[in-house]
Amino acid sequence: MANITKKVSWSSRGDESGPAGEETPLLNGSEQSRPLTQMSSGSTKFQIGRLSTVDLEEEITTEEQESARGRPKEIPHNEKLLSLKYEIVKFTEAGGLSISLILWVVLNCVFVMLGAIMVAFFEPIAAGSGIPQIKCYLNGVKIPRVVRLKTLLVKVLGVICSVVGGLAEGPMIHSGAVVAAGVSQGRSTSLKRDFKIFEYFRRDTEKRDFVSAGAAAGVSAAFGAPVGVLFSLEEGASFWNQMLTWRIFFASMISTFTLNFILSIYHNKPGDLSNPGLINFGRFESEYNLYEIPLFMGMGALGMLGALFNVLNYWLTIFRIYVHRPCLQVMEAMLVAAVTATVAFIMIYFSTDCQPLGPDHNEEYPLQQLFCADGEYNSMATAFFNTPERSVRSLLHNPRTYNALTLGLFTLTYFFLACWTYGLSVSAGVFIPSLLIGAAWGRLCGILLASTTPNGLTWADPGKYALIGAAAQLGIVRMTLSLTVIMVEATGNVTYGLPIMLVLMTAKIVGDYFQEQGLYDIHIKLQSVPFLHWEAPATSHWLTAREVMSSPVTCLNRIEKVGTIVDILSNTSTNHNGFPVVAQVSADDEPAKLCGLILRSQLIVLLKHKFVELARSRLSQRKLQLKDFRDAYPRFPPIQSIHVSQDERECMMDLTEFMNPTPYTVPQQETSLPRVFKLFRALGLRHLVVVDDANRVVGLVTRKDLARYHLGKHGLEELQLAQT
Amino acid sequence: MSLHRYNSVFVLIFINSYAFGVFDAVNVTAPVSATTPQQAPSYVSPGSSAVVSPVVFKPAVEPAFSVALRSSFPEDLEVSEYCAELLRLFGQRYVAFVDCLVPAARPVKVCQNCFPEYHSLSEVFLNISSDQMGPGNVSCRDSILRSDRLMLVFLLNSNMDTIWQRSNCIQCVKDLSGPNNDTLYYLTLLNQTITCFEKYKQGNLTELCKNCKDAYKRLNDLYSRMEGNKTLCIDLEDAMNVTRKLWSKNFGCSIPREETIPVIAVSCFMLFLPIIFYLSSFLHSEQKKRKLIHPNRAKSYASLMNIQDKRS
């Protein structure tokens, strides 16, 4: 941030009378030095941008553990761009405040527009924080395009644009996951390059393991929290074992180390490994007392602000269904950017809170001084112009007294703006903004507490309350386990483990009372993702497999006509993915005996390689190998792209060798819904065949059948899932 | 740039008591640290600090108590003549430095006034702490600096060093030759500005704002430039602080709150845009049809009906 150039001179009166335009004398009078600074920041920016892309390319060839390395470049990058933006805003100071307001708005809009266009038109899945998507992926749902290289690129660029455009800070978990998934496959389909390594990992299960490792590495790089491995544990625990945990833990450690190392080079102190995490809350030293714990828990109960946030965002997201066209989405994002800038400007304009500049105050922003006396700064401007991360740190640590009014207004506006921003089609997360909101109102609580007694309570250190407030506000995502660990690690003070844990629990309990789901779960639900939670809904034990399953089932014969297969696969109204293979389909829909299960992807590969067996002539070509299936993963061609001639349609295909001969089955009458649910969660199933007592197929249970059931206000309810 | 200018009174008081405290310490404990304990460590109450004499090292001070360490230690453990002389010199210069510092505390003129004293003090300390042998093949470093737990001489010196470092004086006065050119130029500009202030202070303040603006702005620019180069010391920072305060607070020459109307107009326009946007997209665009997936269930069970039945 050292490159952010010097302060603004709204103060010396001569600006109006002096030669207007670019000669505007600044307070520091650095007319000569200004172009130089600008150029240097520009060129550094370019260099860093290039570096980070090179890094990504390398990523794919390097070994798996260093997965989250693409990220560290980002924030410095942003800061350079930000400083460039402030430079531009400063040029217009002679013109008057309304002009610079407009210019600021326009600049923000342009950057946000770039980001939103990338997201809305090229890769909609890169919108938001990416955590809901990764959560679903780890849950076992196949989400198209979520771990593609293109997604990563759009995401990283989009985050840069949205942060420069004045919206919130961005997502690291998603990036880590994408990098890990890319590395594990040893190739990039987007770049059309295959490095012929890691071919054995080209399966869903393996890839999911890598994604969870990548997400954990992303967390640990972001917060300097190597035990962020618990995030993956919390989100993907069903496919977990000790060996994998250890590997992921190692990956997280290495990721923190790599980040540290690269940051040390960035700070020109190579080898100094004392920069853990991109988001660094600084060391937290103050102590707490036993009698403060009830206070902390009271603040945790204030976490119902988080519930309010969730409810507002829920209604907003429902309303956003009206804004579904990409161009409208881009416009909406631009409007949010414009309003954010305007509101910030108004707050700064009417704020009278001036603080004396300190010797440590070396970051400078436009409008910093505005109407304050020389040698003082407008603290509202600092609150809005600082990067959120820096604001959080200053709220946690700065001994400087904040003005309660400034803080309150800032919290209020930021709360609504963040609520409005989340869910836009820009790559902006909710984590850092809510951290900031929480820290702000927590600090406010601390200040108010200290002002209750005339000489101030000595133990009421506002920084401590800012931390507790941040934890309480983060209750909106309802991830108690990983949040506790992340907060404790990011503050570097284990003794705060208990208060943070209590606060998170209180916030979760209070929040659940108002809104039973976390923000991420709300968005997962609104997107109709068949997400399976930990347990089956509480009162579902009397539902049996027979009531849950889909019936009748589209089955295939062991030796099936190619024409039939193609027709079934091409049927867009059903779009099934797994087909039970039966001995002989009878004409009148009588259930037939189960032999196995075959997947759509397998059928497509078979068709693609023309592995058809002409019924009697036994004209088999070369032997099909497992490699052929791996090579097609994960982008199996759609059935429409496979040409099947009329002659071939008449051929027969023997599925016996390729089907899974031992699919999981349950008997129809005796199996309860919770048991089916457990099988799905524990084994990561996608299809479960329901059979009768003679092993004849009567139905099929998929995730969508299970995810419909949901415990609502009036007992068990069945939801309507939408096709996405 | 100093943060605590409104605290100046307290700072002054603090420095005063601190300085006198130092006097006490010097007077009382210097002999002890010099390992010639010919007197008992007498405690001087804070009340008497105002009348402390600047004399520092007098081996034959009357002890305060009747029982004291009278007998001297064997020859080889005593401080040599040379070191005792150095210590006496140190004490003198120390007192001179503190004498200079205290009056320069407010307004801060530490660097301009006290740099010769500081240099002579650090010269003596350098002699004491150097490991080169003095006359008689003795090194005073061990006998004066490292013989006891308190290490008083070292402590005193490091206190003074801290003051000098925190005041950043090294940026303004490098060595004995006095303030460097930048500082002198700055002081010239400062004097011009102050003179201008003096001249117009009686009359209309807007006159002052107009007439002194050039001088003030030049000063301000220079200050910012020096801030960037990190060539500022506490004297200059304090002077700038006071000047800025005069300019903005006393004379009220910073910019007034103007053109509120256009700013409000532009903001209102911006704030209305989203309302228009949402309304229009609500009215004109169609809600995306959600294609619902209807489950195919076994015929005999209509599950929702079933739920109702089973619950009752």
Side-chain angles (χ1 to χ4, degrees):
Chain A
M1 218 54 185
N3 266 21
I4 287 201
T5 39
K6 290 296 142 182
K7 99 189 57 157
V8 190
S9 70
W10 298 72
S11 48
S12 13
R13 216 176 225 191
D15 295 0
E16 299 95 18
S17 60
E22 307 210 332
E23 287 294 306
T24 310
L26 299 180
L27 191 61
N28 65 344
S30 54
E31 285 101 327
Q32 316 91 306
S33 70
R34 197 190 322 132
L36 192 80
T37 326
Q38 213 189 356
M39 226 174 68
S40 75
S41 77
S43 62
T44 328
K45 184 198 75 189
F46 171 67
Q47 200 182 0
I48 284 181
R50 206 184 46 197
L51 254 179
S52 73
T53 34
V54 168
D55 207 34
L56 284 178
E57 306 263 330
E58 256 176 31
E59 214 52 77
I60 300 196
T61 55
T62 49
E63 76 265 43
E64 74 228 47
Q65 259 79 17
E66 316 217 347
S67 37
R69 203 146 49 108
R71 299 285 309 174
K73 298 288 167 17
E74 197 157 311
I75 283 176
H77 194 154
N78 283 341
E79 290 184 351
K80 292 289 195 301
L81 263 183
L82 273 177
S83 74
L84 196 68
K85 190 178 90 177
Y86 295 158
E87 283 289 323
I88 298 169
V89 171
K90 266 186 349 194
F91 276 125
T92 57
E93 273 150 19
L97 282 177
S98 41
I99 302 293
S100 63
L101 166 62
I102 291 172
L103 198 79
W104 184 12
V105 165
V106 168
L107 273 174
N108 273 2
C109 281
V110 167
F111 279 113
V112 169
M113 187 181 74
L114 288 178
I117 284 177
M118 270 191 286
V119 172
F121 287 97
F122 295 111
E123 199 57 276
I125 201 94
S129 67
I131 296 179
Q133 286 90 335
I134 294 301
K135 220 175 141 162
C136 293
Y137 193 94
L138 293 181
N139 192 265
V141 184
K142 211 169 184 174
I143 298 189
R145 302 195 312 280
V146 75
V147 287
R148 295 266 175 91
L149 184 66
K150 189 174 146 200
T151 312
L152 178 67
L153 284 180
V154 168
K155 188 129 212 160
V156 169
L157 294 176
V159 166
I160 292 170
C161 284
S162 60
V163 173
V164 171
L167 299 180
E169 197 96 355
M172 276 146 265
I173 292 168
H174 194 172
S175 312
V178 179
V179 173
V183 168
S184 71
Q185 301 304 296
R187 66 167 169 194
S188 163
T189 335
S190 314
L191 301 178
K192 308 239 174 353
R193 290 195 64 179
D194 192 340
F195 297 102
K196 308 275 182 209
I197 46 170
F198 303 140
E199 279 156 348
Y200 295 102
F201 295 142
R202 291 176 191 172
R203 294 169 49 209
D204 270 352
T205 340
E206 298 289 342
K207 198 169 170 182
R208 201 180 296 130
D209 288 350
F210 275 99
V211 167
S212 57
V219 172
S220 67
F223 300 100
V227 194
V229 62
L230 285 174
F231 170 81
S232 295
L233 186 65
E234 192 167 10
E235 299 308 336
S238 47
F239 322 113
W240 200 264
N241 64 44
Q242 182 210 12
M243 205 52 217
L244 184 63
T245 314
W246 177 245
R247 283 179 189 150
I248 295 180
F249 194 18
F250 183 69
S252 309
M253 269 312 174
I254 295 294
S255 138
T256 316
F257 165 76
T258 315
L259 174 82
N260 247 325
F261 190 70
I262 289 177
L263 275 187
S264 74
I265 291 171
Y266 177 74
H267 294 304
N268 280 331
K269 284 179 277 182
D272 171 23
L273 300 180
S274 54
N275 297 296
L278 284 177
I279 298 154
N280 190 353
F281 300 151
R283 289 234 156 263
F284 210 79
E285 298 296 350
S286 72
E287 291 149 3
Y288 68 99
N289 232 313
L290 185 65
Y291 49 78
E292 284 180 82
I293 286 183
L295 279 174
F296 290 160
M297 289 175 70
M299 286 179 66
L302 271 182
M304 61 188 161
L305 285 177
L308 180 69
F309 188 98
N310 284 1
V311 172
L312 288 178
N313 195 265
Y314 176 73
W315 290 114
L316 194 63
T317 313
I318 287 185
F319 183 77
R320 280 200 175 122
I321 294 168
Y322 288 103
V323 192
H324 57 86
R325 275 192 225 126
C327 49
L328 283 180
Q329 283 172 345
V330 172
M331 265 176 75
E332 192 192 11
M334 285 167 66
L335 279 176
V336 173
V339 170
T340 307
T342 313
V343 169
F345 192 90
I346 295 173
M347 302 289 273
I348 294 167
Y349 189 86
F350 288 106
S351 156
T352 48
D353 179 16
C354 294
Q355 305 275 346
L357 283 164
D360 53 342
H361 202 93
N362 35 25
E363 320 96 40
E364 307 189 14
Y365 317 100
L367 304 179
Q368 175 172 300
Q369 191 175 0
L370 205 58
F371 302 123
C372 289
D374 286 4
E376 293 188 344
Y377 68 92
N378 187 319
S379 61
M380 192 66 101
T382 322
F384 274 106
F385 273 108
N386 250 331
T387 56
E389 182 216 351
R390 203 182 280 270
S391 294
V392 169
R393 208 181 320 163
S394 120
L395 283 169
L396 289 181
H397 293 290
N398 210 332
R400 186 165 62 88
T401 47
Y402 277 83
N403 185 324
L405 183 70
T406 306
L407 212 52
L409 279 174
F410 174 72
T411 313
L412 201 69
T413 44
Y414 210 84
F415 182 86
F416 288 109
L417 288 176
C419 191
W420 192 16
T421 307
Y422 190 72
L424 286 180
S425 64
V426 290
S427 311
V430 75
F431 207 89
I432 303 297
S434 51
L435 206 61
L436 184 56
I437 295 166
W441 66 253
R443 180 130 192 160
L444 195 62
C445 285
I447 292 172
L448 293 181
L449 191 70
S451 64
T452 48
T453 51
N455 47 358
L457 298 171
T458 46
W459 46 265
D461 165 28
K464 188 163 60 180
Y465 290 91
L467 177 70
I468 297 298
Q473 181 70 32
L474 277 180
I476 60 168
V477 297
R478 309 279 159 77
M479 298 190 301
T480 35
L481 174 60
S482 35
L483 275 183
T484 311
V485 174
I486 287 172
M487 294 290 285
V488 168
E489 284 197 305
T491 50
N493 193 335
V494 185
T495 51
Y496 271 87
L498 180 71
I500 288 175
M501 194 177 261
L502 287 175
V503 163
L504 281 169
M505 274 162 68
T506 325
K508 184 177 158 59
I509 290 167
V510 173
D512 281 348
Y513 181 76
F514 290 105
Q515 168 90 25
E516 78 262 34
Q517 280 172 317
L519 190 61
Y520 296 147
D521 293 322
I522 288 175
H523 280 259
I524 287 172
K525 198 173 117 188
L526 284 175
Q527 284 166 0
S528 281
V529 179
F531 184 87
L532 298 187
H533 291 273
W534 298 113
E535 298 283 338
T539 55
S540 61
H541 52 272
W542 42 262
L543 276 175
T544 62
R546 187 175 169 78
E547 289 150 302
V548 174
M549 72 189 186
S550 301
S551 174
V553 187
T554 315
C555 294
L556 296 175
N557 282 324
R558 282 171 80 110
I559 297 172
E560 185 64 270
K561 216 170 102 185
V562 172
T564 323
I565 296 178
V566 172
D567 287 344
I568 289 174
L569 291 184
S570 321
N571 187 345
T572 47
S573 67
T574 52
N575 206 15
H576 295 310
N577 190 42
F579 303 92
V581 180
V582 293
Q584 183 64 52
V585 180
S586 54
D588 50 347
D589 276 354
E590 272 297 300
K593 206 161 174 181
L594 177 72
C595 302
L597 188 81
I598 195 156
L599 298 177
R600 166 182 287 262
S601 56
Q602 291 170 316
L603 288 173
I604 283 178
V605 173
L606 289 179
L607 286 176
K608 195 174 136 199
H609 290 271
K610 306 269 187 245
F611 191 76
V612 290
E613 206 164 2
L614 297 174
R616 279 160 299 277
S617 58
R618 295 261 162 211
L619 225 159
S620 123
Q621 288 122 329
R622 72 179 181 94
K623 202 86 177 140
L624 203 62
Q625 287 171 339
L626 201 53
K627 190 175 172 301
D628 295 309
F629 290 98
R630 280 203 205 106
D631 281 347
Y633 181 83
R635 297 189 200 182
F636 298 105
I639 181 69
Q640 287 79 11
S641 70
I642 294 169
H643 177 73
V644 181
S645 68
Q646 204 59 42
D647 280 350
E648 284 163 341
R649 284 182 72 92
E650 295 304 319
C651 297
M652 301 301 275
M653 189 187 254
D654 188 356
L655 302 175
T656 321
E657 282 178 58
F658 304 104
M659 69 186 185
N660 171 10
T662 54
Y664 291 99
T665 59
V666 287
Q668 57 169 331
Q669 291 293 358
E670 295 78 12
T671 325
S672 66
L673 175 62
R675 184 157 181 79
V676 175
F677 204 95
K678 275 206 185 84
L679 276 174
F680 266 80
R681 261 313 285 212
L683 299 171
L685 291 184
R686 295 221 171 99
H687 315 93
L688 184 66
V689 186
V690 182
V691 292
D692 62 7
D693 42 10
N695 203 24
R696 285 177 303 194
V697 181
V698 290
L700 193 72
V701 181
T702 59
R703 300 179 75 93
K704 280 181 183 155
D705 294 315
L706 292 179
R708 316 174 163 266
Y709 292 99
H710 149 88
L711 196 62
K713 287 196 170 61
H714 313 289
L716 200 63
E717 289 170 347
E718 200 176 346
L719 298 173
Q720 296 295 325
L721 288 183
Q723 210 153 26
T724 43
Chain B
M1 227 26 205
S2 89
L3 203 44
H4 309 288
R5 51 175 184 238
Y6 38 78
N7 284 344
S8 58
V9 181
F10 298 105
V11 171
L12 184 59
I13 289 172
F14 172 73
I15 288 185
N16 264 335
S17 60
Y18 177 72
F20 285 124
V22 169
F23 278 115
D24 292 349
V26 169
N27 197 21
V28 175
T29 43
V32 179
S33 73
T35 65
T36 51
Q38 284 149 340
Q39 65 165 142
S42 64
Y43 179 72
V44 183
S45 71
S48 67
S49 60
V51 287
V52 163
S53 67
V55 186
V56 180
F57 186 70
K58 247 192 235 165
V61 181
E62 281 298 306
F65 304 108
S66 51
V67 184
L69 263 176
R70 269 269 173 231
S71 57
S72 53
F73 288 113
E75 193 67 18
D76 52 338
L77 285 178
E78 289 243 10
V79 167
S80 70
E81 201 60 32
Y82 169 69
C83 295
E85 177 60 26
L86 270 184
L87 196 60
R88 198 183 56 79
L89 203 63
F90 179 80
Q92 272 175 0
R93 293 188 177 178
Y94 190 91
V95 170
F97 183 49
V98 173
D99 254 350
C100 167
L101 279 183
V102 175
R106 238 15 269 176
V108 186
K109 291 209 167 64
V110 170
C111 305
Q112 301 160 61
N113 291 359
C114 304
F115 67 94
E117 283 85 353
Y118 177 74
H119 278 286
S120 54
L121 179 71
S122 49
E123 208 175 69
V124 186
F125 188 77
L126 204 68
N127 273 341
I128 294 177
S129 60
S130 76
D131 52 356
Q132 279 175 1
M133 298 296 165
N137 225 2
V138 281
S139 159
C140 297
R141 192 173 59 159
D142 292 341
S143 66
I144 293 181
L145 291 184
R146 298 181 174 176
S147 295
D148 53 294
R149 176 168 65 84
L150 192 58
M151 303 201 292
L152 188 75
V153 174
F154 174 77
L155 210 61
L156 292 171
N157 186 67
S158 69
N159 273 341
M160 292 301 126
D161 267 349
T162 315
I163 291 177
W164 204 250
Q165 269 159 24
R166 291 188 56 178
S167 60
N168 260 348
C169 286
I170 200 94
Q171 306 294 349
C172 298
V173 263
K174 267 261 154 36
D175 43 28
L176 278 173
S177 58
N180 55 20
N181 289 341
D182 276 355
T183 315
L184 288 177
Y185 180 54
Y186 176 87
L187 289 176
T188 325
L189 280 184
L190 180 71
N191 287 340
Q192 278 174 15
T193 315
I194 301 288
T195 324
C196 178
F197 283 0
E198 292 291 329
K199 197 166 131 198
Y200 293 100
K201 206 161 64 178
Q202 261 65 41
N204 194 354
L205 282 184
T206 44
E207 278 294 296
L208 182 143
C209 289
K210 214 160 77 191
N211 290 327
C212 301
K213 208 193 64 207
D214 280 344
Y216 175 73
K217 220 164 62 58
R218 252 182 295 142
L219 181 70
N220 224 341
D221 291 352
L222 177 68
Y223 180 80
S224 311
R225 207 155 49 226
M226 289 172 79
E227 199 181 7
N229 300 344
K230 301 219 185 313
T231 50
L232 282 176
C233 58
I234 185 70
D235 292 17
L236 308 190
E237 288 168 22
D238 183 65
M240 192 69 221
N241 257 343
V242 175
T243 320
R244 277 177 171 174
K245 204 166 163 186
L246 277 175
W247 177 258
S248 345
K249 294 259 168 76
N250 294 23
F251 304 142
C253 296
S254 26
I255 47 164
R257 199 173 290 254
E258 282 171 347
E259 50 166 343
T260 310
I261 306 293
V263 167
I264 288 181
V266 173
S267 324
C268 284
F269 173 69
M270 291 292 171
L271 294 181
F272 265 107
L273 279 180
I275 298 175
I276 296 167
F277 171 79
Y278 281 120
L279 267 182
S280 65
S281 58
F282 177 70
L283 295 175
H284 291 293
S285 85
E286 283 179 18
Q287 191 166 359
K288 197 160 75 178
K289 283 276 184 289
R290 280 161 69 92
K291 270 189 267 171
L292 295 180
I293 305 170
H294 293 290
N296 300 321
R297 291 285 159 74
K299 284 163 207 140
S300 52
Y301 295 90
S303 66
L304 254 184
M305 279 288 291
N306 216 13
I307 290 177
Q308 304 295 336
D309 291 346
K310 287 210 176 182
R311 210 185 322 127
S312 56

